[in-house]
Amino acid sequence: MRLKIKTLTGVVQPLSYVDKMLRQQGFHRSGGDSMPTYDVVMYDSASSSAYFLRIPTNYTNTTTGKGELNVKLGHPYLEAKFYMNTTSEEVFFIPKAVREAAEHKLAEIADYLSVPSAPS
């Protein structure tokens, strides 16, 4: 499920700043050196289900004054965490409470990333 967070989608910041801030928020980086994606597992205790909140990124053609690559954040999305015994025919519903928690977390991240990066 794609989440609409206009204040976060399209933000451009240095990779090191984005990486540090998202890791502090509990996200893990995947995708290697190509196009990194950051994800965090959100657990719903009411249904005993887990969900991935993911933020894709793309490298931009710009660099910082220090020659560091900038990344542009894509549209965040939320999806059910699947296990091997799950069939592809099952329909997964993401509870409203999980969607709201994800949107709250993304709004907090947008606040951090909307300000210029601090010097390292």
Side-chain angles (χ1 to χ4, degrees), residues 11-15 18 36 57-60 62 69-73:
V11 168
V12 176
Q13 288 285 358
L15 175 60
V18 170
T57 65
N58 287 310
Y59 289 109
T60 66
T62 60
L69 288 173
N70 285 328
V71 291
K72 180 178 181 180
L73 278 66

Side-chain angles (χ1 to χ4, degrees), residues 82-99:
F82 298 112
Y83 295 100
M84 297 306 285
N85 60 355
T86 306
T87 65
S88 60
E89 296 161 3
E90 293 181 53
V91 176
F92 290 93
F93 171 76
I94 299 174
K96 182 179 179 181
V98 173
R99 289 191 316 265

Side-chain angles (χ1 to χ4, degrees), residues 26-70:
F27 283 78
H28 299 278
R29 181 178 168 177
S30 61
D33 290 331
S34 56
M35 293 188 304
T37 297
Y38 291 88
D39 58 58
V40 67
V41 176
M42 300 185 72
Y43 185 74
D44 178 31
S45 59
S47 65
S48 297
S49 298
Y51 303 88
F52 280 116
L53 173 57
R54 292 199 161 121
I55 304 173
T57 65
N58 287 310
Y59 289 109
T60 66
N61 291 330
T62 60
T63 58
T64 66
K66 299 176 185 177
E68 181 182 9
L69 288 173
N70 285 328

Side-chain angles (χ1 to χ4, degrees), residues 4-12 73 103 106-111 113-114:
K4 296 177 183 175
I5 307 293
K6 292 180 182 179
T7 56
L8 184 64
T9 303
V11 168
V12 176
L73 278 66
E103 289 169 353
L106 292 170
E108 184 179 351
I109 290 166
D111 285 344
L113 291 178
S114 65

